[in-house]
């Protein structure tokens, strides 16, 4: 493991166990990139970490304004952490708008690093400041570090021949250099990355590297306080950073390898799901076919077609796309074909808050089709768990010949965390058995079910003798021929439900953790995992007894769910919606589960949850 | 009944490669499923079905390599009656489902059967995108100029002013000309024929099969229940000779009794129907199916406003263009050659990893 | 009121209080028409009645086969009845397939009237009979009346010059004539109708009338038993027959008259909803605009546009179309515009059983949109109640500026019942107040809400000074400008929910009826109303205490719902799905409601419900 | 704030009839909303917005009679910046929503703003149906040949082989030619212009306004972030003279420096670009916007495969056809005249009633 660079003569670094830094600037200032690079170096350094990008829905909102502010938060520590942090302890503000939009969140006494060059009249006006906050004493509760970043950058890159305007663009790297010095992050990975990224524009690469170095030097010469956050003690293994969208893509590919079947993705771009399409498009050497369809309906239609033809049909989307796919998803239920629909939840209703997170598609995933049309639902709970959830979704889909919905959300999709890479032997087997022979005398019945899984056989075109036709009209049990027979419809409806229900025998039971004598269980699903975990830690630190359980399967629930829930006097369900899981739990188990809800486009803060749990628990 | 899947190459679809067909010659009966045909007696769909069932054995394609895909409608019942693989999808989405099949499995022969509502109303967008992608699909549109299955509403091909259940005072819309729509959407193969064309219909279908890529075939089809006689101007005895303009590549475009009438292009860019005698045979336009530029084909599609006037039948356009599924497979192979076959460990390890011991 | 024709010399008719007749024949035999005409005459005669058409999804399935059988059942009585009857007491079978498909349902000892001409080899084979059931004694438990209907018809219409094939087509009228004689129904309304219908084909009209008369004469001369079912004692008023689809159309028009706003229907044909489009298309003199859109998405989009422009935007559909409309419905939720989405439920999933009934779209209506996207739901419970439900949907939609879903189902849509016509003063007022002036100083804020209803103002294009823009992105409270503010999103989410919830103050409370000391409540919604009512009658006849309540609003529930439910020890919920209302009730009230479910494409039979209620109640 | 609605006629939409406008002349500022414009600096959308805001006051249409409707995308932000009525709809559905508005209220002036993805990918079907219906809409498609808002995936108008986030190895599809698509869909008015065309752009928009019915205008628009320079062959200095072919009704179709190049129609039905000098001026094709037959306009749309070659700009087609909303209103009036205005009692009583006393 690479160690923190300790320069000779460096003063002793002040030790911290954790830090939360937020980089904030104009959309054009490259804050996401700065954050990403800092994260990379931090991961490389060996801290545990979690990140939270937060950017406007516009491609580029007007420069200098509040709606144009883009921010990136990273939480890193010398122990395993669960969330990107409630309140930043350090805020880097590249302009007045960034300061104004983020100051409220900064901890009192926190460190505020500003680009003082940007605090001139026009920018202050655009941000709605009447006076310069750097001068009027209004920031006195913070430790302010003013750095003339623009000027320093222009000076640093003088030799490169770039115009002043071009030169200024590197000021984010200057900021990164400063912060890297303060927190003892290595520069090399970033330099390497810059040189690769701008290989074709060496002038730009050079300027960025110069600015980065200049920032680092500034930190040292200006004698800013230096901190140290020791590497976390992490389980041995090879690590990488991963965000949820990457992990979904990798999980799907891994499942395809396990199933020895090619992947076929039909997708239509939509924030925040598009990156799965982008990632999968790059791995054609795995035989992954990706089609950017004309719309979401075509995308799922193509995936259904591919599944019929023997591929693993996948379709990825977010809320509005999920709506559009409902009819076709119902067709997949009737056809009983494997199909994985990945929904990256975002703020709704309608176009809503497209770049913000929410967990408000659960009931839609459960019930959002006409008729009785049950579909298994799997949910990821952390960025890296998206990998496992994708593998699980494929496994269930193929084993039970059913479409499966995989839910993640905007927070998981774009937030990154270190991920200990699994070895392949940890992956489940996904045996695929295509039908190759008649199954009733010399006939092939496409709806003759497996006794255990209730799955129908998968006979793919190209298989002689198994020619058959399937469709969305009700099918006779067994033969699959069109049937309007009342009894058959009843039977088939029950069969489809039973097949989904049967999955409860084949999934992990619900685990709970916490104090043996806890009377209160906090039940979660999806991306609230980290926040709930952090909140429970805080409660336990206050000697409040508490237990925690997290659902990875939402339909069916693990078989022991009722049993676990009934063990406690009180069940509290925090959700980033208005109480959707709570509805399901109440209806299913008649338990008076209490909701903690939030729809602000942002994850729960641990502190916020802590308080609300205490309130409800008492 | 089942056997485990022996890890086919990721690149080759699922690669069932066992050789079949070839040995025994198939007959029409082999392509007839055991399902009772459920169209109204007298429906034009019967003739099309018979033509397709008869054509199939001649093509020499093993049954198991054929997939029929449809949406919803009377026409869309088609797949049930053919003993091949088949998907009866949902309304309007057949071209999308079929695109998935054909793109995943370039080894298959995928047919799409659509009604005029299915293809041009709810499914219009999927159709035009399949055409521009040049997916390897034979797209048959049974145009009866009406919604049959839902019992008689007008369709996007119904003539303006049509009185139907949903337009008791007459429809207000200009109909689509399906050939024009297809040509405007970059279709590589566009043709028209008719249910009662016992010889022309299979001939056109054969041409569609010979075209690798999207082949769009409009088939005029009589719905004797809700729109009887819509194609009378072409199907009647006089119509057959007087109004059917058979297009043939390289041949002058002539029709009518004794080929007395013909088509000329004026220098102002307007096609006109003339008496051949009055302009001279050598002025008559030669049909050119293979021309890359679709403009002439488009102009021909505008000769008639609807099947009530002299109407071109046959292949309007047949040009080569890379096929979507083939091109994709090509990219897969190229990537595998460049990057080596996919290895999951290598993928996950990416470039930015670190190790904790 | 017209009296039953009593011919001189007619023998005394045997009195019955109720009869259930099923007409069954080939799809080509005109059974629906026969049933309709008999129903008309029966209504005219003054019985209470209910009907149940049951026809195949194909336009015309192969003649003579079981899948091609089309049936029509009518229940009529001298008292108020609630259902089309469990088991027919009379079965008219026009061919062997019709006999085979329906015999099972005929009461033992019931009357079986067959067209003996149709029982020849080919037809028997097509129906799968090895021997002629008319000969082999297998029908001995029934009273069989064999009539050579084909022959009689051909003879009767000889004079008209029709070909034999054409002549035979009138055999349904012959059957109708026979039955009309047996049950003392007047012929005149049918004759009048035939003459009008075939005004342009007098030959056909004449043949049908001749066949009808011949059947009547046959009944008399063959001395078939004659029955009498006295007119029911119905509330005074003017009556007509109406089916659910007509009633929806009339209700919408009536609401448009009350609101003094034009209707705009955007729709795409789909069984069993198309007839609403057909009906509304005919009433252009009411200013009703109907557009047959290119698909369901366009249909609702157009309706939204029309509502924005100040019309009452309507869209009508069935299951698959509901799926497709979800995204746009979510937009309407965000835009907060009036919009009525009528969903005629049918058997699902996917294409399912398109001509059969089901109640399986309730949860989809509740939750079938991404994000938190609440929509009020109104449900009709009988054919004529569709009128009132439509009026109510429009009223709520306009008053609360919200899309409203109106649920009916295939059974209500096509089943007919006598309807006492309301006088206009019974219709609610639906005041519309378009905004005409700025509402905040000289500005117009499109999301400034009414204090009571929480409705936003409706300012339509053409109003000077109120120009404004609305859209699907989250809107700032009040101004309606785009807002990504977290607190605002929370507020707006709560606001949209509160607005729907507020409706509970403005709707009828849930009424229950039955024994004061009943411990069991049967709770229903939608078209189960009749069956539940009939089942409860039967239970009461057995001295079993029972109470009944029926929900007409599914979202929000009437305010007193919990109170009513908690009054009873047991709540039983019969539904034609797998328990959807039960899920909502359990989640909301934590009551261990028990389900009786059925998904056979057919309504509950009273007897079947009776039994199951007894089972569960004990 | 509100006033009760005094029962307008059912037939006349909701009939706000108060006279406005007229009195004071409006300026560009009156059409500028208070919302901050949120496109990337340098985006071609700014120029289009400026052109529209400047044009509006000249049209003499009261602000309140104008509605801008859009879908989702960068282009789709357009309505927010105009102080008229506006709906920011959902992706692809703007033509449908606008159809509802324009059909309910023929008194309004309804504009639709769409991106190329919005209009031709997800919204393709609504667009072509709005065109064939001839709904009274001005449909502007900002064609930047890319998905801007979702950060750079290829669109249905991107050139084949395009490398984007979703096609790292190059796209495989033949792009749509939007003019061809519109003409294939029976559009009555079809035109093309470009963001940097300071004079031509408003001129074309004015023509669109003058056309009652569907007017489809393709506007080439530079996305300087994800597809910079896509229209360089037309927007560069040399491109402007060398490659822009300005179509003008009744004029010979000439272009290039000194109009040295021109277009001729061959008798085999093929258009060709020639040196005017070599064929003689009188052979050059005259442009005919008003021709009922769309074939010539279609042929012109095929002169260039994409905006990298000599490309016609201006009005391809402008023909009269009954307008959907007007025709519907006509049916309403006719019905009221025939049947009398609607009376609910009469409706309910129908023909088949009986009375119980
Ligand atoms: C989503 C959806 N919308 C509507 C329908 C109802 N529907 C079934 S077929 C059809 C149209 C039939 O017309 P066409 O496609 O021309 O086929 P035809 O019956 O004439 O062969 C319609 C509207 C449906 N099944 N699904
Ligand atoms: C139903 C749905 N699918 C996908 C998206 C995501 N999305 C928003 S805009 C857009 C395409 C943008 O491209 P274009 O229409 O060309 O407009 P531009 O941004 O280039 O102006 C997409 C895919 C969405 N908002 N809704
Ligand atoms: S309704 Fe028309 S198209 Fe459908 S089966 Fe009958 S005749 Fe054929
Ligand atoms: S992404 Fe492109 S189209 Fe969108 S605002 Fe930026 S420059 Fe304009
Ligand atoms: Mg049709
Ligand atoms: Mg674009």
């Amino acid at each position: 493991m690479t160690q923190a660079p300790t320069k000779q003569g460096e003063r002793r670094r002040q030790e911290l166990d954790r830090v939360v830094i937020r980089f904030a600037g104009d959309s054009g200032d490259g804050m996401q990139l700065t954050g990403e690079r800092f994260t990379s170096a931090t991961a490389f350094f060996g801290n545990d970490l979690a990140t939270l990008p937060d950017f406007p829905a516009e491609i580029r909102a007007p420069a200098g304004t509040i709606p144009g502010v883009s921010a990136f938060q990273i939480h890193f520590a010398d122990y395993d952490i669960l969330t990107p942090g409630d309140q930043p302890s350090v805020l880097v503000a590249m302009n007045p708008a960034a300061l104004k939009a983020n100051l409220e969140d900064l901890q009192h006494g926190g460190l505020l690093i500003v680009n003082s060059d940007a605090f001139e009249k026009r920018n202050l006006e655009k941000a709605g400041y009447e006076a310069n906050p750097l001068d009027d004493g209004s920031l006195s509760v913070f430790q302010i570090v003013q750095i003339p970043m623009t000027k320093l950058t222009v000076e640093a890159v003088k030799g490169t021949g770039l115009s002043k305007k071009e030169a200024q663009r590197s000021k984010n790297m200057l900021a990164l250099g400063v912060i890297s010095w303060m927190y003892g992050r290595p520069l090399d990975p970033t330099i390497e990355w810059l040189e690769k990224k701008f290989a074709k524009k060496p002038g730009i690469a050079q300027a960025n590297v110069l600015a980065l170095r200049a920032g680092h030097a500034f930190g040292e010469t200006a004698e800013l306080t230096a901190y140290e956050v020791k590497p976390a003690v992490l389980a041995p293994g090879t690590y990488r950073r991963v965000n949820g969208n990457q992990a979904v893509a990798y999980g799907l590919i891994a499942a395809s390898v396990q199933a020895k079947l090619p992947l076929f993705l039909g997708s239509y771009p939509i924030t925040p799901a598009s990156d799965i399409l982008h990632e999968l498009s790059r791995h054609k050497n795995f035989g992954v076919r990706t089609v950017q369809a004309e719309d979401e309906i075509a995308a799922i239609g193509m995936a259904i077609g591919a599944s019929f033809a023997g591929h693993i049909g996948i379709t990825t989307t977010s809320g509005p796309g999920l709506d559009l796919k409902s009819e076709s998803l119902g067709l997949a239920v009737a056809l009983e074909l494997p199909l994985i629909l990945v929904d990256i939840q975002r703020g709704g209703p309608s176009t809503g808050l497209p770049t913000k997170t929410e967990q408000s598609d659960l009931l839609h995933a459960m019930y959002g089709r006409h008729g009785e049309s049950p579909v298994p639902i799997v949910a990821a709970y952390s960025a890296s768990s998206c990998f496992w959830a994708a593998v699980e979704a494929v496994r269930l889909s193929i084993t039970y010949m059913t479409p499966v919905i995989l839910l993640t959300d905007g927070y998981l999709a774009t937030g990154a965390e270190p991920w200990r890479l699994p070895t392949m032997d940890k992956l489940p087997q996904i045996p695929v058995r295509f039908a190759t022979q008649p199954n009733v005398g010399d006939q092939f019945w496409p709806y003759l079910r497996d006794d255990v899984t209730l799955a129908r056989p998968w006979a793919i075109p190209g298989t002689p003798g198994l020619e058959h036709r399937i469709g969305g009209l009700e099918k006779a049990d067994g033969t699959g021929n069109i049937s309007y027979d009342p009894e058959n419809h009843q039977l088939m409806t029950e069969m489809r439900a039973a097949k989904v229900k049967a999955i409860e025998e084949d999934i992990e039971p619900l685990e709970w953790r916490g104090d043996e004598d806890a009377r209160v269980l906090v039940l979660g699903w999806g991306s609230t995992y980290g926040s709930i975990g952090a909140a429970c830690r805080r409660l336990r630190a206050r000697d409040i007894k508490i237990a925690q359980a997290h659902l990875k399967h939402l339909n069916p629930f693990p078989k022991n769910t009722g049993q676990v829930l009934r063990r406690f006097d009180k069940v509290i369900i925090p959700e980033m919606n208005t109480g959707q899981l709570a509805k399901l739990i109440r209806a299913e188990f008649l338990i008076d589960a209490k909701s903690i809800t939030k729809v602000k486009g942002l994850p729960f803060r641990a502190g916020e949850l802590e308080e609300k749990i205490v309130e409800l628990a008492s | 009944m089942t056997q485990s899947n022996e890890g086919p190459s990721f690149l080759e679809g699922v690669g069932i490669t066992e050789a079949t067909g070839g040995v025994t010659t198939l007959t029409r009966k082999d392509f007839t499923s055991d399902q009772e045909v459920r169209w109204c007696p007298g429906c034009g769909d019967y003739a099309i079905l018979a033509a397709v069932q008869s054509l199939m054995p001649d093509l020499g394609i093993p049954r198991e390599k054929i997939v029929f895909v449809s949406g919803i409608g009377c026409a869309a019942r088609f797949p049930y009656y053919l003993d091949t693989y088949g998907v009866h999808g949902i309304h309007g989405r057949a071209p999308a489902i079929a695109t998935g099949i054909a793109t995943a499995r370039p080894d298959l022969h995928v047919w799409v059967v659509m009604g005029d509502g299915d293809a041009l109303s709810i499914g219009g967008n999927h159709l035009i995108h399949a055409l521009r992608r040049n997916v390897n699909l034979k797209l048959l549109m049974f145009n009866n100029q009406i919604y049959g299955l839902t019992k008689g509403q007008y369709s996007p091909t119904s003539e303006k002013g049509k009185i139907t259940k949903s337009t008791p005072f007459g429809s207000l819309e200009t109909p689509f000309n399906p050939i024009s729509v297809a040509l405007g959407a970059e279709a590589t193969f566009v043709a028209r024929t008719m249910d009662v064309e016992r010889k022309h219909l299979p001939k056109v279908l054969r041409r569609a099969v010979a075209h690798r890529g999207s082949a769009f075939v409009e088939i005029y089809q009589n719905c004797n229940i809700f729109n009887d006689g819509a194609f009378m101007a072409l199907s009647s005895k006089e119509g057959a000779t007087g109004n059917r303009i058979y297009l043939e590549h390289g041949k002058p475009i002539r029709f009518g009794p004794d080929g007395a009438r013909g088509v000329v292009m004026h220098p102002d860019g307007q096609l006109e129907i003339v008496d051949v005698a009055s302009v001279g045979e050598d002025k008559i336009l030669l049909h050119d199916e293979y021309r890359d530029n679709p403009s002439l084909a488009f102009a021909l599609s505008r000769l008639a406003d609807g099947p009530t006037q002299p109407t071109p039948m046959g292949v309007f356009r047949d040009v080569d263009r890379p096929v979507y599924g083939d091109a994709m497979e090509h990219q897969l192979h190229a990537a595998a050659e460049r990057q080596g076959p996919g290895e999951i460990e290598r993928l996950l390890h990416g470039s930015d990893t670190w190790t904790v011991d």
Side-chain angles (χ1 to χ4, degrees), chain B residues 235-259:
Chain B
S235 58
S236 71
K237 211 161 167 195
E238 314 80 65
T241 43
N243 283 335
R244 293 191 207 165
I245 309 179
Y246 290 106
L247 300 175
E248 281 182 80
H249 179 73
K251 300 262 176 73
I253 303 174
R254 294 175 65 166
F255 68 103
D258 305 319

Side-chain angles (χ1 to χ4, degrees), chain A residues 59 268-271 274 292 295-296 317-322 324 346 351 354:
Chain A
I59 295 303
Y268 189 71
I270 188 165
T271 305
S274 309
Q292 179 178 315
D295 65 15
E296 284 85 352
T317 194
S318 185
L322 181 61
L324 289 170
R346 65 185 216 185
T351 313

Side-chain angles (χ1 to χ4, degrees), chain B residues 93-116:
Chain B
R93 317 302 172 187
I97 296 170
T99 293
I101 299 174
T103 306
R105 297 279 305 277
D107 63 311
L108 299 177
H109 297 258
V110 185
W111 295 71
V112 180
V113 177
M114 305 164 287
D116 43 327

Side-chain angles (χ1 to χ4, degrees), chain A residues 219-236:
Chain A
E220 193 165 355
T221 49
E223 301 206 343
L224 300 182
T225 324
Y227 300 93
E228 176 168 20
V229 181
K230 288 248 168 67
V233 185
L234 297 170

Side-chain angles (χ1 to χ4, degrees), chain A residues 383-412:
Chain A
S384 62
S385 82
C386 289
F387 177 86
W388 296 106
V391 173
E392 174 72 348
V394 175
R395 183 184 74 85
L396 294 178
S397 186
I398 289 180
T399 311
Y400 295 88
M401 291 291 284
T402 174
V404 171
I405 294 178
L406 166 56
L407 294 176
T408 87
D409 62 30
Y411 167 54
L412 296 181

